[in-house]
C-alpha cells in the first residue's frame, strides 16, 4: 500500500500521545493519555515504566482505530520523549527493577556532591556539556545500582539494561530485539562524551556503572528496529529528546537557528554547528538531532525558570487578569512603558546571572503606574529574559542568530512576539502548527523513510507570522539598558 503517513510517539512528563501526520505535516489524528505520577517522598518523582509503554501502545491503537488507517500505510514511527528520566530493567524478563526516576527528582543531590568532591566538575562540563546535577540520568542510574539489592552484581553479569525513555520504548516496541538510543538523548545522561561521541569511561568508573548495561548510540534519524502491529512491520526511524526534537521540528538543523518555547518556563536552544563549545555563561552544551552520514551538530541550551508562570502570577496572586490571553489586548492598549521593569526572579536569577538567592522585584513605580502597566511589564520581562539568554549564547558561540523560531503557549501573544523581535533586532518566526516537538520526531522518521528530505521539511513547516523589528536602535538600547539596570538592582549582593 502507498505510504501516506508518519506517526509520532510523544512521551512527555505528564502525558503520552500518538499523533498521525500526513505528507503536508498536517495532523490527521491525536490520542493522549495522562501519565500517573508517583511522589514517594518529598523531592522524589517516579513513573511506572510499564505504564509508559502501555499508554503509548494504547494511544497508538486508539488513533489507528479512530482513523481506520491501515498499518501498511504508515511509512515509519518517530519517538520523542521526556529527557533524562531513567529506567533499569532485566534483560531476560524485560521487567523494570525499579520505578523510572524522573528528571525532576532531586534524590541524587548527595551523589552529585560526592562527584564534585572528587574534583570532576570541570571534566564533566568539558566532556558531557552538562553540569553535575541530579537532573541528568547518570546519578539516577548510580542510585538504582546502589539501592536495589544485588543490582550492581547483576548489571556486571550483563543481566540488566539501562535506558532513557526512548531506549525503554524501543526495547519494548521491538520485543527486546533492540537496545538503542540517539545522540540527543545520550547527551543528557552526564555519562556520554559529546566530544568523542562515546560513553565516557572516566565518569562511568567514578560512578561504578558497568558499560555493558548501556544502549548503543546512533543517529536520531536512523533505523531503530520495527514495531510489529497487527502483523505489519512498521519501522522506527526517528528518535530524539523533546527539546532537540522541537528545534528540529522548527527547521533548526542549521547553525544560527534558535528556538524558544514559551511555556511555564522558557526553553531556548541555539544550533551552533559541528564545533564543540563550552559555555562561559553556565549554559549547557548538548547534541542536536543527527542525520545519517552527517556529523552531529551541537546546540547551546538555556532555560528561563519563570516564563508564562509570571502571567499565572498576575492572574492567580494579583488578580490583575482573568485569563492569560487578555494580556495581549492590555499591552496594546497603553503607550510604551517608560522605565518600568518587573524582574520575575521568583526562583532566583538563572542564566547568565546564576544568583539563586535573588528575589523578584518591581523597579520604577510612579503614581501613574496601574494594573495595565504592571501587566505589560510582566509580559515584556519574558522578552528581556530571552534576550539575556540569547546574548549569552552568542557570546559563547561567537556567531550570530539568523532567526528565532517560537512555540509554546505564550507565543500566541502577538504583542510579546513583536516586542521580542524589537528587543532582539531579529526576525521572530511563528509556525502554523505549534506541535513542533512531535513534528520534529516525525521529520526525523520521515527523512530516513524517504518520505521527506531535509529540503522539503522547510516547506512542510509552514510559517504563520513573521515578526520583523520596527523599534529604533536608540529605543532598543535604552529599554534594554534599563532592564540590565533593573536586574543589577535585583541581585542578592
Ligand atoms: P507548559 O507546556 O509549560 O504547560 P504551555 O506551552 O501550555 O506551557 O503554555 C502555558 C503558559 O503560557 C502559561 O504559563 C500561561 O500563563 C502562558 N500563556 C498562555 N497564553 C498566553 C498569552 N496569550 N499571553 C501570555 N502568556 C500566555
Amino acid at each position: 500500500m502507498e505510504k501516506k503517513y508518519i506517526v509520532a510517539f510523544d512521551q512527555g512528563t505528564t502525558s503520552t500521545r500518538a499523533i498521525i501526520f500526513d505528507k503536508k505535516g498536517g495532523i490527521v489524528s491525536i490520542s493522549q493519555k495522562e501519565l500517573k505520577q508517583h511522589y514517594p517522598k518529598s523531592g522524589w518523582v517516579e513513573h511506572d515504566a510499564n505504564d509508559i509503554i502501555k499508554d503509548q501502545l494504547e494511544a497508538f491503537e486508539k488513533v489507528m482505530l479512530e482513523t481506520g488507517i491501515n498499518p501498511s500505510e504508515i511509512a515509519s514511527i518517530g519517538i520523542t520523549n521526556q529527557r533524562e528520566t531513567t529506567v533499569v530493567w532485566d534483560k531476560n524478563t524485560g521487567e523494570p527493577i525499579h520505578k523510572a526516576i524522573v528528571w525532576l527528582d532531586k534524590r541524587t543531590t548527595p551523589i552529585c556532591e560526592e562527584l564534585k568532591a572528587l574534583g570532576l566538575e570541570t571534566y564533566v562540563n568539558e566532556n558531557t556539556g552538562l553540569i553535575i546535577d541530579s537532573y541528568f540520568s547518570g546519578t539516577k542510574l548510580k542510585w538504582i545500582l546502589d539501592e536495589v539489592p544485588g543490582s550492581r552484581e547483576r548489571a556486571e553479569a550483563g543481566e540488566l539494561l539501562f535506558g532513557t525513555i526512548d531506549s525503554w520504548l524501543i526495547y519494548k516496541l521491538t520485543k527486546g530485539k533492540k537496545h538503542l538510543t540517539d545522540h540527543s538523548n545520550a547527551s543528557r545522561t552526564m555519562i556520554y562524551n559529546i566530544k568523542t561521541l562515546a560513553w565516557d569511561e572516566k565518569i562511568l568508573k567514578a560512578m561504578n556503572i558497568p558499560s555493558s548495561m548501556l544502549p548503543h548510540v546512533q543517529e536520531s534519524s536512523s533505523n531503530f528496529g520495527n514495531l510489529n502491529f497487527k502483523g505489519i512491520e512498521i519501522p522506527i526511524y526517528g528518535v530524539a529528546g523533546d527539546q532537540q526534537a522541537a528545534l528540529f521540528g522548527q527547521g533548526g538543523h542549521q547553525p544560527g537557528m534558535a528556538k524558544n518555547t514559551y511555556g511555564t518556563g522558557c526553553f531556548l536552544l541555539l544550533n551552533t554547528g559541528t564545533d564543540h563549545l563550552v559555555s562561559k555563561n553556565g549554559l549547557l552544551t548538548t547534541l542536536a538531532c543527527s542525520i545519517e552520514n552527517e556529523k552531529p551538530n551541537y546546540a547551546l541550551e538555556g532555560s528561563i525558570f519563570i516564563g508564562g508562570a509570571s502571567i499565572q502570577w498576575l492572574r492567580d496572586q494579583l488578580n490583575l487578569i482573568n485569563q492569560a490571553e487578555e494580556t495581549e489586548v492590555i499591552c496594546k492598549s497603553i503607550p510604551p512603558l517608560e522605565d518600568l521593569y518587573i524582574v520575575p526572579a521568583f526562583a532566583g536569577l538563572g542564566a547568565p546571572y546564576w544568583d539563586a538567592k535573588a528575589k523578584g522585584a518591581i523597579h520604577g513605580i510612579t503614581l501613574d503606574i496601574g494594573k495595565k502597566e504592571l501587566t505589560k511589564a510582566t509580559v515584556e520581562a519574558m522578552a528581556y529574559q530571552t534576550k539575556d539568554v540569547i546574548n549569552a549564547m552568542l557570546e559563547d558561540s561567537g556567531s550570530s542568530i539568523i532567526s528565532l523560531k517560537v512555540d509554546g503557549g505564550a507565543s500566541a501573544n502577538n504583542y510579546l512576539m513583536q516586542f521580542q523581535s524589537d528587543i532582539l533586532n531579529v526576525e521572530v518566526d511563528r509556525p502554523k502548527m505549534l506541535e513542533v516537538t512531535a513534528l520534529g520526531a516525525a521529520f526525523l522518521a520521515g527523512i530516513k523513510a524517504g518520505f521527506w528530505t531535509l529540503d522539503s521539511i522547510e516547506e512542510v513547516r509552514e510559517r504563520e507570522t513573521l515578526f520583523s523589528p520596527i523599534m529604533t536602535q536608540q529605543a532598543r538600547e535604552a529599554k534594554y539598558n534599563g532592564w540590565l539596570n533593573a536586574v543589577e538592582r535585583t541581585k542578592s549582593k
Side-chain angles (χ1 to χ4, degrees):
M1 272 179 133
E2 193 196 341
K3 305 285 182 205
K4 294 190 195 145
Y5 308 102
I6 302 278
V7 179
F9 287 179
D10 181 0
Q11 205 303 303
T13 311
T14 54
S15 74
T16 306
R17 308 190 304 163
I19 304 178
I20 303 184
F21 289 97
D22 63 20
K23 195 132 194 175
K24 290 188 171 150
I27 292 178
V28 179
S29 184
I30 302 189
S31 169
Q32 170 161 347
K33 272 207 80 172
E34 292 308 307
L35 179 61
K36 187 170 163 51
Q37 311 288 313
H38 300 264
Y39 304 105
K41 281 189 192 178
S42 160
W44 292 29
V45 190
E46 296 178 346
H47 290 157
D48 185 333
N50 282 324
D51 283 350
I52 289 179
I53 180 67
K54 194 166 134 281
D55 289 358
Q56 191 63 73
L57 284 169
E58 271 180 31
F60 181 48
E61 274 170 27
K62 198 153 167 249
V63 279
M64 293 301 280
L65 201 71
E66 274 172 11
T67 55
I69 288 172
N70 188 306
S72 57
E73 292 177 290
I74 294 174
S76 59
I77 294 170
I79 298 174
T80 180
N81 55 287
Q82 52 166 319
R83 304 180 302 174
E84 297 110 9
T85 298
T86 300
V87 193
V88 176
W89 66 93
D90 184 311
K91 192 176 181 174
N92 299 311
T93 64
E95 276 302 303
I97 64 159
H98 192 276
K99 285 226 166 54
I101 304 183
V102 177
W103 57 274
L104 287 160
D105 190 295
K106 294 267 175 226
R107 80 184 66 181
T108 60
T109 303
I111 300 179
C112 295
E113 294 309 318
E114 284 168 28
L115 294 174
K116 287 179 194 165
L118 289 174
L120 280 169
E121 259 172 301
T122 307
Y123 183 85
V124 166
N125 186 233
E126 285 177 357
N127 291 281
T128 71
L130 308 175
I131 50 167
I132 297 180
D133 195 277
S134 61
Y135 202 84
F136 308 109
S137 321
T139 59
K140 299 182 197 290
L141 168 53
K142 174 174 162 54
W143 187 93
I144 293 176
L145 294 177
D146 289 346
E147 299 298 324
V148 177
S151 61
R152 188 163 268 112
E153 293 71 29
R154 287 172 67 202
E156 273 158 10
E159 292 172 22
L160 299 183
L161 300 178
F162 151 79
T164 38
I165 295 300
D166 54 309
S167 297
W168 167 248
L169 286 175
I170 295 164
Y171 193 80
K172 293 307 249 188
L173 295 171
T174 63
K175 294 269 178 283
K177 288 199 194 80
K178 301 283 180 186
H179 184 221
L180 303 170
T181 190
D182 86 300
H183 286 126
S184 69
N185 275 294
S187 71
R188 312 300 298 180
T189 58
M190 216 185 83
I191 51 178
Y192 188 70
N193 191 310
I194 62 170
K195 287 205 293 203
T196 61
L197 303 182
W199 297 108
D200 190 286
E201 293 298 335
K202 181 169 169 169
I203 303 172
L204 290 174
K205 198 155 167 248
M207 289 202 276
N208 199 6
I209 296 171
S211 55
S212 59
M213 57 186 316
L214 307 176
H216 172 69
V217 186
Q218 58 187 52
E219 284 81 14
S220 318
S221 179
S222 64
N223 187 352
F224 291 87
N226 293 340
L227 163 67
N228 186 301
F229 187 74
K230 300 197 194 303
I232 307 285
E233 298 284 328
I234 310 176
I236 304 163
Y237 278 165
V239 170
D242 52 15
Q243 293 306 321
Q244 288 101 322
L247 179 65
F248 199 76
Q250 287 274 27
H253 52 277
Q254 278 167 15
M257 298 280 205
K259 74 96 191 166
N260 191 10
T261 303
Y262 298 81
T264 313
C266 298
F267 278 98
L268 280 124
L269 250 77
L270 170 72
N271 187 328
T272 55
T274 52
D275 291 336
H276 169 254
L277 301 168
V278 180
S279 172
K280 292 182 192 71
N281 292 298
L283 301 171
L284 304 178
T285 310
T286 206
L287 287 168
C289 292
S290 52
I291 308 274
E292 277 177 317
N293 306 317
E294 280 188 13
K295 248 183 119 187
N297 276 354
Y298 294 90
L300 283 169
E301 176 168 328
S303 51
I304 294 165
F305 306 138
I306 306 292
S310 61
I311 306 296
Q312 288 160 242
W313 169 73
L314 289 180
R315 186 192 61 194
D316 303 335
Q317 303 298 122
L318 302 190
N319 294 321
L320 294 189
I321 53 168
N322 291 314
Q323 283 181 356
E325 294 72 33
E326 289 167 28
T327 57
E328 179 177 336
V329 181
I330 295 171
C331 289
K332 286 177 171 169
S333 72
I334 55 171
L337 297 175
E338 282 177 31
D339 226 18
L340 175 71
Y341 297 95
I342 295 191
V343 184
F346 303 155
L349 284 167
Y353 309 108
W354 300 113
D355 181 349
K357 292 200 184 114
K359 296 221 164 63
I362 305 176
H363 300 275
I365 310 180
T366 44
L367 261 182
D368 54 330
I369 297 302
K371 292 179 181 182
K372 289 180 177 173
E373 288 75 17
L374 291 175
T375 300
K376 188 163 177 160
T378 306
V379 170
E380 291 184 351
M382 256 190 274
Y384 288 124
Q385 292 184 94
T386 300
K387 183 172 168 95
D388 286 344
V389 175
I390 287 183
N391 276 357
M393 288 175 162
L394 297 181
E395 195 183 303
D396 282 338
S397 66
S399 65
S400 56
I401 167 175
I402 301 171
S403 79
L404 179 68
K405 317 267 183 166
V406 298
D407 53 87
S411 73
N413 187 318
N414 292 311
Y415 176 79
L416 172 61
M417 294 301 104
Q418 182 59 50
F419 189 74
Q420 185 71 80
S421 171
D422 283 336
I423 279 299
L424 282 175
N425 200 18
V426 160
E427 285 182 336
V428 169
D429 177 338
R430 186 171 64 197
K432 268 194 184 148
M433 227 271 302
L434 290 172
E435 293 284 357
V436 290
T437 307
L439 187 62
F443 281 164
L444 291 167
I447 288 170
K448 169 72 185 165
F451 195 78
W452 289 308
T453 62
L454 263 179
D455 292 332
S456 71
I457 61 171
E458 289 289 339
E459 289 148 38
V460 177
R461 177 208 176 271
E462 271 185 276
R463 176 187 298 151
E464 186 233 23
T465 313
L466 185 70
F467 298 89
S468 302
I470 46 176
M471 193 180 270
T472 64
Q473 182 63 13
Q474 201 187 359
R476 177 179 304 119
E477 275 174 21
K479 281 187 178 292
Y480 190 58
N481 284 337
W483 164 260
L484 293 177
N485 264 326
V487 171
E488 219 35 60
R489 283 178 280 158
T490 307
K491 288 180 179 168
S492 63
K493 47 184 180 308

